[in-house]
Amino acid sequence: MTQAPVRSRTDRRRHDREIIALAVPAFGALVAEPLFVMADSAIVGHLGTAQLAGLGVASALLTTAVSVFVFLAYATTAAVSRRVGADDLPAAIRQGMDGIWLALLLGAAVIAAVLPTAPSLVELFGASDTAAPYATTYLRISSLGIPAMLIVLAATGVLRGLQDTRTPLYVAIGGFLANAVLNVALVYGAGLGIAGSAWGTVIAQAGMAAVYLTVVVRGAREHGASLRPDAAGIRASAQAGVPLLVRTLSLRAILMIATAVAARLGDADIAAHQIILSLWSLLAFALDAIAIAGQAIIGRYLGAGDAQGARNVCRRMVDWGVGVGVVLGVLVVITRPAFLPLFTGDPAVKDTALPALVIVALSQPICGVVFVLDGVLMGAGDGPYLAWAMLITLAVFTPAALLVPEFGGGLTALWAAMTLMMAVRLVTLWVRTRSGRWVVTGATR
């Protein structure tokens, strides 16, 4: 990233068009995903408090299980986009099929693990005696949809690698609408209660997976790519995913530590923390959409052997990360007085959250660059470095967060520690991109 800036306004405009064309639909698809849980919560909530509590526990377990395997999307995007850049579409789709077969195997393994252990998992998450039966029912039924969820992740990676983020958007919207209709019909129309909600989600996820598979299979037949499972290809997909799995688990650990520390600070602090974390996650969707565009575009440039093009688009994406981060930060500052009353009427929670939100706002430009560079290195297939960088970040963040209550710090101090975490990520990612060692051209890394 040190050699040369983007040389002309024409280049910048071309890169901007590419980024917007991929990032905007990707953002829509990302926002649609949490709407599944929101729709389930709204429908199940009318059944009773115990049912809603059970749904909350089961959904947390399912979300954790699926998020661990998000590498299926990331690794597949990088691998497929490289082959697209190398103008080898049959190999690109073949690589995508390997990721889908891996998703199917992992999904089967998760079902085998969850079905017999569901009651123990629910108990481990602290469900009450009244909520536990509902949580167990929802978890067992919904686990049957995990293979479909993982296929959706892998197939999304295939389409992103093929520079298509519109189809995932349409599938996500269709899946959300189907999920909402099925939930109402099965929960109330068929009188199945929380089990109906679980079955509705399973059917919707299966439908989404079927649409993705139809698109990928059609592409495979069009380009003469094999659909059969290939042991070597599946093994390669798994090996590429391991470093990204380490990265994801480290990030999940950071979020869990932050929540645990907030809980030790008091009821008002943990309540405010949950509100801020929800906002932080929403802001992350906007930044992650740019990162997804980065994964697809960078992989394509490197696959085509255009090292300078990859560096130039990296520079432009950093500009986007900073710009979007500044806009998001300003919006947080301006809207925070109106935002908080949507979640709480408790003055103590509001007073605790307001200064912490200022820290969140100030950190957004840092977050913007971090998300972009993360996407660039993922697109380059630089997973091992990302894993080590996140482990370093976890090692720095953990003592900083744990010292917050020891020194009498409050929620603002905790979110300062979160900002430190993002700053460490920024340094590690910036050092890597400046070194140029991520710029490895060719159809494979």
Side-chain angles (χ1 to χ4, degrees):
M1 208 171 98
T2 58
Q3 279 78 356
V6 177
R7 294 182 177 178
S8 71
R9 183 174 298 177
T10 301
D11 287 335
R12 290 195 296 271
R13 286 177 177 172
R14 176 165 53 85
H15 293 320
D16 289 346
R17 286 195 297 270
E18 287 183 319
I19 294 167
I20 292 171
L22 291 171
V24 172
F27 174 70
L30 289 170
V31 171
E33 292 174 8
L35 293 180
F36 270 81
V37 177
M38 290 179 63
D40 288 1
S41 299
I43 294 166
V44 171
H46 291 285
L47 294 174
T49 301
Q51 289 91 331
L52 183 58
L55 172 65
V57 171
S59 294
L61 284 163
L62 288 165
T63 301
T64 299
V66 174
S67 66
V68 165
F69 297 112
V70 73
F71 70 83
L72 288 166
Y74 294 158
T76 304
T77 298
V80 171
S81 62
R82 273 184 176 269
R83 285 162 176 79
V84 169
D87 199 25
D88 190 352
L89 284 178
I93 296 174
R94 173 67 262 177
Q95 181 72 44
M97 284 304 305
D98 291 336
I100 290 173
W101 280 112
L102 176 61
L104 187 60
L105 292 173
L106 290 172
V110 173
I111 288 179
V114 170
L115 283 179
T117 61
S120 299
L121 291 171
V122 167
E123 182 180 357
L124 182 65
F125 263 58
S128 67
D129 292 339
T130 54
Y134 297 111
T136 301
T137 297
Y138 191 93
L139 181 59
R140 278 183 166 154
I141 296 172
S142 293
S143 68
L144 300 177
I146 287 179
M149 295 180 194
L150 300 189
I151 288 172
V152 166
L153 284 176
T156 298
V158 176
L159 295 182
R160 289 173 180 171
L162 293 171
Q163 316 296 296
D164 177 10
T165 56
R166 289 184 179 274
T167 300
L169 171 61
Y170 300 146
V171 175
I173 293 173
F176 166 71
L177 294 175
N179 178 66
V181 171
L182 286 167
N183 266 257
V184 172
L186 295 176
V187 171
Y188 298 113
L192 296 180
I194 195 169
S197 177
W199 281 117
T201 300
V202 168
I203 295 169
Q205 291 285 355
M208 292 172 66
V211 172
Y212 274 118
L213 289 175
T214 299
V215 173
V216 175
V217 168
R218 184 184 300 140
R221 289 175 175 170
E222 180 181 346
H223 296 285
S226 174
L227 297 172
R228 295 180 179 178
D230 176 67
I234 294 172
R235 186 166 54 251
S237 294
Q239 289 172 345
V242 168
L244 296 179
L245 175 61
V246 173
R247 169 199 169 275
T248 300
L249 290 174
S250 300
L251 182 57
R252 297 292 300 182
I254 286 170
L255 297 177
M256 290 175 64
I257 290 169
T259 300
V261 170
R264 293 175 58 189
L265 297 176
D267 289 347
D269 293 88
I270 185 61
H273 176 75
Q274 289 303 112
I275 294 171
I276 295 172
L277 193 59
S278 298
L279 174 62
W280 197 70
S281 299
L282 178 61
L283 299 175
F285 285 141
L287 299 174
D288 202 27
I290 304 173
I292 288 169
Q295 294 170 33
I297 296 171
I298 291 293
R300 192 187 77 232
Y301 271 95
L302 293 177
D306 188 354
Q308 189 57 55
R311 293 187 181 95
N312 287 344
V313 76
C314 177
R315 284 180 175 274
R316 190 57 180 162
M317 296 196 74
V318 169
D319 294 340
W320 270 83
V322 173
V324 173
V326 169
V327 170
L328 293 177
V330 171
L331 287 175
V332 170
V333 171
I334 292 174
T335 62
R336 62 193 179 115
F339 169 76
L340 287 173
L342 296 176
F343 291 86
T344 181
D346 189 336
V349 175
K350 292 179 183 178
D351 291 343
T352 302
L354 280 172
L357 280 172
V358 173
I359 300 296
V360 171
L362 293 174
S363 71
Q364 287 310 296
I366 297 174
C367 295
V369 178
V370 167
F371 273 79
V372 164
L373 295 183
D374 204 42
V376 166
L377 296 185
M378 281 186 191
D382 206 7
Y385 182 84
L386 289 172
W388 282 110
M390 190 58 77
L391 287 171
I392 291 171
T393 303
L394 175 61
V396 173
F397 171 77
T398 301
L402 294 178
L403 287 173
V404 168
E406 296 297 326
F407 284 91
L411 190 66
T412 301
L414 176 59
W415 276 92
M418 289 286 284
T419 302
L420 170 66
M421 177 270 292
M422 294 302 293
V424 173
R425 291 186 69 189
L426 175 62
V427 170
T428 57
L429 297 175
W430 189 263
V431 167
R432 186 64 167 183
T433 52
R434 293 282 291 181
S435 74
R437 295 178 65 183
W438 58 279
V439 184
V440 179
T441 58
T444 59
R445 183 176 173 85

